[in-house]
Amino acid sequence: MDTIQVLDKTFVPYLSEEQILDRIKILASEISADYENLNPLFIGILNGSFIFAADLYKHISIPSSISFIKLVSYKGTSSSGTVITAIGLEENINDRHIIIIEDIVDTGKTLSTFLPTLHKQSPASIKICTLLQKPDALQHVLDTHYVGFEIPDKFVVGYGLDYDGMGRNSKNIYQLSTADEY
Ligand code: 5GP
């Protein structure tokens, strides 16, 4: 694997497509075993998770469904702080077993802010499946149940993850070159 250039930054190879797919197959078989007969609903968080969600879902072997949402954050009142709402969730999630598919959990702010909104709709359960997690960056209370790779607190692109909208189409995952860190 060679280094890649995305806009003004250089990225070095970090995880190959093969490593990613091998790990995804393991995650998919764990989830399929855990949710047998529960007919779970996978919810992919756009945009970053679209490639991960597709590859993961191809390897899920139990009856289930999948849907995608986009999270939009805005400033609420001073008492509510930042509010995150979902665009595109049409399914009734009452009594459903939900598995959130996320590309990366960094500070944990996005999901920890959004989960209470989902809980209000009384799902049977909610678990999070994230391809990447940066344990050193976590600042919010968040349980991630299925984690593909724990990675250092460095910016990554590829396999659906972008830098300023670009780089999502790289098959491998790349890490920002030390020379370009600021
Ligand atoms: P959190 O709310 O957990 O801090 O951030 C989650 C979101 O930040 C991710 O869904 C992703 O959009 C973005 N993010 C965090 N770290 C990275 C990274 O290293 N690379 C990219 N491309 N996005 C990141």
Side-chain angles (χ1 to χ4, degrees):
M1 283 197 281
D2 295 323
T3 62
I4 57 164
Q5 185 76 21
V6 182
L7 299 173
D8 59 332
K9 303 246 184 276
T10 305
F11 291 84
V12 297
Y14 184 62
L15 291 168
S16 69
E17 182 183 25
E18 195 186 3
Q19 283 174 291
I20 298 166
L21 291 177
D22 283 351
R23 183 73 186 117
I24 286 176
K25 286 176 196 163
I26 295 168
L27 285 178
S29 63
E30 278 175 20
I31 294 172
S32 300
D34 292 351
Y35 285 85
E36 210 177 356
N37 304 317
L38 293 178
N39 184 23
L41 169 64
F42 291 83
I43 299 181
I45 310 288
L46 294 173
N47 295 327
S49 80
F50 76 109
I51 294 179
F52 172 45
D55 280 340
L56 180 77
Y57 198 55
K58 276 191 282 188
H59 292 96
I60 294 291
S61 57
I62 52 168
S64 55
S65 35
I66 187 165
S67 186
F68 289 87
I69 59 173
K70 205 158 186 166
L71 296 183
V72 181
S73 74
Y74 59 92
K75 283 268 168 245
T77 61
S78 55
S79 61
S80 58
T82 304
V83 182
I84 296 189
T85 54
I87 297 180
L89 185 59
E90 279 145 18
E91 282 78 5
N92 178 1
I93 65 164
N94 182 249
D95 272 337
R96 295 293 305 270
H97 291 278
I98 307 297
I99 302 160
I100 307 252
I101 307 179
E102 179 64 299
D103 53 353
I104 183 164
V105 170
D106 184 18
T107 64
K109 182 177 179 195
T110 310
L111 287 184
S112 65
T113 311
F114 171 61
L115 284 188
T117 314
L118 269 194
H119 277 294
K120 277 190 197 139
Q121 299 177 48
S122 305
S125 68
I126 302 179
K127 285 195 177 177
I128 296 167
C129 175
T130 184
L131 177 63
L132 305 173
Q133 176 154 20
K134 295 177 180 171
D136 294 341
L138 195 66
Q139 291 172 14
H140 297 261
V141 179
L142 186 70
D143 268 346
T144 44
H145 308 90
Y146 302 100
V147 177
F149 300 91
E150 292 197 336
I151 65 168
D153 189 6
K154 283 196 170 191
F155 192 78
V156 287
V157 294
Y159 196 73
L161 290 129
D162 73 309
Y163 166 50
D164 216 1
M166 305 296 284
R168 293 191 197 276
N169 53 330
S170 292
K171 292 188 178 73
N172 311 303
I173 291 177
Y174 296 81
Q175 202 174 50
L176 183 62
S177 155
T178 314
D180 276 344
E181 284 179 49
Y182 50 85

